[in-house]
Amino acid sequence: MNIDLIVKIFFINVLTYFVFNKVKNRSIIKSEIVKTVLASALGTITYMLLNKYTEHIAANIILYFIQIILLKTLFFYEEENIITTNLLANAIVYIGFVIAMLIESIPMYLIKIHNNTINIIIILIIETILIIGFFNIKRFKKGFDFLNNKSSND
């Protein structure tokens, strides 16, 4: 088992649930933190098992659908746009991860850090700062309005 991959997938899952709640402008309560950790652990275990037998992209797609199922069953979200919101949350998290990798590559080459565990921890810290910073922008502080407002276009 690759501990770096486990930490990365677990942390990405936690951030995905966090971003999902921020996009929907929901406050995060203590019981949801426990549910988030449990759902992330379940998603990470599933991903690690799938990763042995499938490609990374297939494991990520299956993990996305598992997240949707957990959001409906464990978190009891019954909105119509849960698929869109989860896709947006995953996109934000993975874009943040790529940007964090690019930012982290500068000190990695300057300081010559060759330890993968240290690199992944630095990347995850930078990603968390980027995502928190993104949701501190005035326009996104209260979520994404187009996902929160019900349209009367039926």
Side-chain angles (χ1 to χ4, degrees):
M1 285 275 176
N2 186 354
I3 193 73
D4 297 335
L5 183 62
I6 293 171
V7 169
K8 180 179 88 170
I9 297 301
F10 178 78
F11 204 78
I12 284 175
N13 275 318
V14 169
L15 282 177
T16 301
Y17 290 116
F18 171 76
V19 170
F20 182 90
N21 283 321
K22 292 299 280 182
V23 165
K24 295 300 285 179
N25 196 22
R26 288 204 174 95
S27 59
I28 300 170
I29 54 176
K30 287 184 181 180
S31 65
E32 284 194 1
I33 293 172
V34 173
K35 289 179 183 180
T36 300
V37 170
L38 291 174
S40 297
L42 182 65
T44 303
I45 292 167
T46 306
Y47 181 89
M48 296 308 291
L49 292 173
L50 289 171
N51 199 29
K52 288 182 181 179
Y53 305 109
T54 62
E55 296 291 324
H56 290 292
I57 191 78
N60 276 325
I61 291 169
I62 294 169
L63 182 60
Y64 166 76
F65 288 112
I66 289 171
Q67 288 172 347
I68 291 171
I69 292 168
L70 290 173
L71 285 168
K72 283 191 170 271
T73 58
L74 190 62
F75 294 94
F76 305 111
Y77 294 145
E78 295 295 330
E79 290 102 23
E80 300 164 358
N81 56 7
I82 194 168
I83 294 172
T84 307
T85 308
N86 190 33
L87 185 62
L88 182 63
N90 274 286
I92 290 170
V93 169
Y94 280 101
I95 289 169
F97 187 76
V98 169
I99 293 170
M101 283 177 27
L102 293 172
I103 292 170
E104 196 270 340
S105 67
I106 297 168
M108 182 179 77
Y109 288 115
L110 291 176
I111 302 173
K112 295 184 176 32
I113 302 171
H114 297 293
N115 188 335
N116 286 339
T117 306
I118 293 173
N119 285 335
I120 199 71
I121 289 170
I122 292 170
I123 289 169
L124 294 174
I125 290 170
I126 293 170
E127 179 184 18
T128 304
I129 292 168
L130 287 172
I131 289 175
I132 290 171
F134 176 76
F135 283 107
N136 280 333
I137 296 172
K138 186 177 179 182
R139 182 177 190 129
F140 302 116
K141 258 188 183 178
K142 297 195 180 199
F144 290 23
D145 284 337
F146 70 93
L147 290 172
N148 295 331
N149 295 336
K150 300 223 181 235
S151 63
S152 60
N153 296 343
D154 295 334

